Amino acid sequence: MLDTISVQGENARGGFEGYVPTRSATAAKTDTPFIESPQTVAVVGRDQMEDQGVISVSESLRYSSGVLTETAGGQSRRFDSFFVRGVGSDAQYASYVDGLRWAFPQRTAIQIDPYLLERVEVMKGPSSALYGQGSAGGFVNMISKTPSLDAKNEVFTTIGSHSRVEAGFDLSGALDKNNEWLYRIVGLGRMADTQIDFQRDERVVIAPSLTWQSTDDTSLTLQAMYQHDPKSPDAGFMTPMGSLYDIPGYGKLPRNYYQGDPDFMKFERTEASLGYRFDHRFDDTLRFHSSARFGYMESTTRTIEDSLFSFWGDPTNPFYTAANEISRMWYAADHEAWTFAIDNNLIAEFDTGAVGHKLLAGVDHLRFKGDQLSVAGTGNCIAGYSCAGSYFGGSRDIWIWDAFNLTYGYDLSEVTNWSEKMLHFPGYPPAWKQGLAQTGIYLQDQMEWDNWRLALTGRHDWSRQTNKRFMYSTNYEWEWVDREVKDKAFTGRAALAYVFDNGFVPFFGYSTSFDPISIISADLNAAGAGTYPFDARAFEPERGSGYEFGLRYQSTETGLYLSATYFNGKKEKFAIPTGTTQGCNAPFGQMTCYTQDTEAKAQGVELEARGEVLPGFDIIANYSYTNAKITKLDAASELYISALSSMRYLREGFRPNPVGMPKHMASLYANYEFGSGALEGLSIGGGVRYVGEMPATMLNVWIDGYHSPIPDNPYGTGERFGQRAMVPSRTLFDLSLSYDFGRKFRNLDGMSLNVVATNIFDKKYVAACNGYGTCTYGDGRDIRQRSDADGDAFMPSPET
């Protein structure tokens, strides 16, 4: 009687060995060979995440072409934001889990711990044809760990820099001898400081899942997740003077600089979800798939941050700031949100003559409800200065802060009491109540004729946004203002590829996108600024389009993957403040009016190589060139650009580059595993990451105004007025070392040790400036040591 041997291929929605997948479902919503994907997808698997010791989805994308992450300082540990291919003006957030979008209110976001994931996939380019509303740059899809037949009993502990302590477990297997019921439960807890003073990184998470495989043709997986972050780090925001440039007589601010106060600081978040995945095969032709998720999140924010405004003129004005001083403001918010997403589709595989078809027809629905309570203010009635309608008083030292004499522990009870009262005071709720309902129907045909592959996709969406906002009128009365915006759109995609027998695949694709703009901002898009009731016109949806073509190669023997891609994309009607340097006469109680008279374009090249180049030697190599331009702005901004050009601060025909996207990025990571000899079981890895210079302001020059206050002295515009505003390039180095004890010592099978050091030379650098007057430092050197053990390692077999 022979033992049963189970042979399983790679699941397009599951894990894979090494650095290169063979299949992916993100680009087509079907099980499609990775090299034949109708749209470019970058994939980071479990092996790469563990080798590189990542602790966030943002970190997992460090070695992905055309993707920039970790631009928000300490908040890069709180939110997973990213820029991809340079189309547009704002960062995106990782928000798709297993192909379903998880929506959230503004000024907060969900975050999924990477230990819960099998893979992270970046869909590049406009993607509305299958997924509905979204950015023209692309999105990040996070694929969860699910039950597996392969028994897994992993436990780990991690210690590291900044007093990091972390432990977790990943348990999976069959519950019965017939393998009809499978389970998996993943969990972890961690506590750590960060490089920024007073900032903590704390988390506890547990994610159980259960699969019922009733027959070979039918399976149902139930998934749940609970994550609580008692504390998450803030950014360490600072002005360009003191971060990019020395302040005369003071130098630069330290990397541990924190602009807030520990007695007021707070960020707490809870996330929970419950969902399912159901698959049934009727016969060899027809399959049905359904997946759904209900998600809940709440977060609490209390922070003191750099004010956008500083006053350098009259030193007798109590708001006057000297070179070493920074004007501060406070912000408090409570968020609560519910999201329900469901996707149902049928897949039919059949032939018409010599053409094979994989036809996908589906309908999905997203429903979101979010409540936001927020208030903010400054010490606008500080001691010795008379004004009316103040939020609170207070010492000048609290709000005009000596940034080089970091003094904390001020009496902020007045601020705390007032903010809590305003957040929860009946009849005066500074509230935004958001709602979103979106339904889409889609149809896709993946056709195969000989070596040709053609994919055609079409989709129609209906969306309805509602917003109920408590606003201050020009009559000095608080009133609820209701808004509703309905949009509909058709989006599509066409992709063509030819699969050569030797593994080369030339390809071409074109796709479109649409993205309705939140009507929280639409309330500021006032046709009659300064009037009441607000004659606000709803924003039109952002529209995007783009094409790409190139050549891919994947070896069937080693799995080595090579890709060269040219892309060209466009985004229209994205909202920015009217006049990139000034606000406008907005309705009372509003900061800024917005415009949609905008257009941005990006084109470039992405080169990628990953996989095994020699036995035991794996690499990940990337290079990206992105030429992104904002080709159209509102009249006020265009006038300002024209004026700077006439003064020869800007060249004739100058067009600004979007903030947050460098022209050049390159990275190389290599890992070698000794397969025999005295060093068997040892793996040594290392990487280098290069990020080129990128704009620090929306107009790419230093100016003296709302967005970029950066004078060389407190009395004027200074020598830097009109000069290029750029964040310098940076080159960072990483190292990793791991040892699999079981390779040499059979009684220690399943035990391993992994040490990862990032930014090993502890380079101090500015990660990015957001274009609104603040910048952040990137992470310094960080060392993490992780110990893993398979539960079976504690139960030696008889022969050992």
Side-chain angles (χ1 to χ4, degrees), residues 700-768:
N700 302 179
V701 292
W702 294 123
I703 54 179
D704 198 15
Y706 175 59
H707 291 294
S708 309
I710 182 168
D712 284 337
N713 60 73
Y715 295 104
T717 57
E719 296 179 359
R720 290 198 178 92
F721 178 84
Q723 293 182 3
R724 294 181 70 230
M726 305 296 289
V727 176
S729 63
R730 56 186 179 266
T731 303
L732 308 175
F733 296 86
D734 307 321
L735 282 179
S736 62
L737 181 71
S738 64
Y739 188 74
D740 184 349
F741 292 91
R743 295 287 297 274
K744 292 288 289 184
F745 310 100
R746 296 188 62 188
N747 61 323
L748 296 180
D749 186 31
M751 299 189 69
S752 63
L753 177 68
N754 185 37
V755 180
V756 174
T758 59
N759 190 5
I760 59 174
F761 297 115
D762 200 27
K763 181 179 179 64
K764 183 180 179 181
Y765 65 95
V766 173

Side-chain angles (χ1 to χ4, degrees), residues 202 240 282 295 322 361 391 436 506 517 536 541 603 611 682 699 742:
E202 299 178 359
F282 295 98
Y391 294 138
L436 169 65
I517 298 174
Q603 60 179 329
L682 178 67
L699 285 185

Side-chain angles (χ1 to χ4, degrees), residues 63 65 607-611 619-623 666-669:
Y63 288 90
S65 64
L607 306 178
E608 181 178 9
R610 58 170 56 224
I619 67 164
I620 303 171
N622 295 290
Y623 169 74
S667 62
L668 172 64
Y669 180 83

Side-chain angles (χ1 to χ4, degrees), residues 261-266 301-304 330-332 334 375 391-393 398-399 410-424:
D261 194 286
D263 291 339
F264 190 74
M265 172 187 67
K266 183 178 183 180
T301 304
R302 304 289 186 270
T303 185
I304 295 177
W330 60 270
Y331 172 77
D334 292 335
V375 286
Y391 294 138
F392 53 84
I398 300 177
W399 312 112
Y410 288 105
D411 182 3
L412 297 170
S413 58
E414 188 175 0
V415 180
T416 302
N417 295 338
W418 194 91
S419 62
E420 295 302 319
K421 177 182 178 181
M422 291 300 101
L423 283 173
H424 306 106

Side-chain angles (χ1 to χ4, degrees), residues 184-259:
R184 192 162 192 169
I185 180 168
V186 185
L188 66 82
R190 73 163 173 255
M191 297 183 296
D193 295 323
T194 72
Q195 71 178 16
I196 303 173
D197 285 346
F198 310 110
Q199 303 302 293
R200 293 281 290 170
D201 183 10
E202 299 178 359
R203 170 169 294 170
V204 58
V205 59
I206 188 166
S209 55
L210 180 69
T211 294
W212 177 41
Q213 186 84 33
S214 60
T215 69
D216 291 341
D217 295 325
T218 305
S219 68
L220 172 67
T221 297
L222 303 177
Q223 297 173 276
M225 187 273 288
Y226 173 83
Q227 178 176 301
H228 179 60
D229 301 333
K231 296 181 180 180
S232 284
D234 207 344
F237 290 116
M238 58 198 73
T239 58
M241 295 298 290
S243 57
L244 288 178
Y245 302 107
D246 288 342
I247 294 178
Y250 295 92
K252 292 185 174 66
L253 292 164
R255 193 157 49 190
N256 65 326
Y257 168 80
Y258 173 54
Q259 82 284 350

Side-chain angles (χ1 to χ4, degrees), residues 385-532:
Y385 186 70
S386 175
C387 65
S390 73
Y391 294 138
F392 53 84
S395 167
R396 181 185 188 278
D397 294 340
I398 300 177
W399 312 112
I400 308 299
W401 200 48
D402 186 347
F404 290 88
N405 182 20
L406 302 179
T407 304
Y408 301 99
Y410 288 105
D411 182 3
L412 297 170
S413 58
E414 188 175 0
V415 180
T416 302
N417 295 338
W418 194 91
S419 62
E420 295 302 319
K421 177 182 178 181
M422 291 300 101
L423 283 173
H424 306 106
F425 185 71
Y428 179 55
W432 292 341
K433 294 181 179 293
Q434 296 174 259
L436 169 65
Q438 178 188 325
T439 301
I441 55 174
Y442 55 89
L443 182 67
Q444 175 178 269
D445 191 2
Q446 292 175 267
M447 290 166 276
E448 180 177 333
W449 176 66
D450 195 18
N451 289 42
W452 289 97
R453 306 290 186 269
L454 174 64
L456 299 175
T457 310
R459 177 185 175 105
H460 192 83
D461 276 285
W462 297 264
S463 78
R464 180 175 66 91
Q465 293 188 89
T466 59
N467 180 52
K468 192 173 184 180
R469 186 171 180 182
F470 210 63
M471 303 177 72
Y472 204 21
S473 76
T474 53
N475 299 324
Y476 298 99
E477 296 177 357
W478 287 93
E479 298 183 17
W480 283 105
V481 178
D482 289 302
R483 292 284 182 267
E484 180 180 86
V485 178
K486 293 182 179 180
D487 294 302
K488 58 183 179 180
F490 176 83
T491 52
R493 179 178 67 185
L496 180 66
Y498 187 87
V499 182
F500 285 96
D501 296 335
N502 58 9
F504 285 94
V505 179
F507 65 92
F508 172 84
Y510 175 82
S511 57
T512 61
S513 68
F514 92 109
D515 192 8
I517 298 174
S518 168
I519 56 176
I520 284 181
S521 295
D523 280 339
L524 306 183
N525 192 22
T531 64
Y532 186 84

Side-chain angles (χ1 to χ4, degrees), residues 87-93 95-96 101 103 106 126-129 131-139 366 436 438 461 463 465 485 487-491 512-519 539-545 571-575 596:
V87 181
S89 57
D90 296 317
Q92 304 299 309
Y93 293 88
S95 58
Y96 280 81
R101 184 184 171 202
Q106 292 185 346
S127 308
S128 293
Y131 292 93
Q133 68 182 74
S135 168
F139 69 91
L366 173 69
L436 169 65
Q438 178 188 325
D461 276 285
S463 78
Q465 293 188 89
V485 178
D487 294 302
K488 58 183 179 180
F490 176 83
T491 52
T512 61
S513 68
F514 92 109
D515 192 8
I517 298 174
S518 168
I519 56 176
F539 281 157
E540 300 176 50
E542 297 177 0
R543 301 305 299 250
S545 62
K571 183 176 180 179
E572 299 175 289
K573 298 187 179 301
F574 54 93
Q596 279 190 282

Side-chain angles (χ1 to χ4, degrees), residues 280-307:
H280 177 70
R281 178 184 289 274
F282 295 98
D283 50 38
D284 291 340
T285 299
L286 190 63
R287 286 176 288 156
F288 173 72
H289 163 79
S290 177
S291 58
R293 174 180 292 104
F294 172 80
Y296 170 80
M297 75 157 293
E298 62 177 6
S299 66
T300 299
T301 304
R302 304 289 186 270
T303 185
I304 295 177
E305 53 194 34
D306 293 338
S307 173

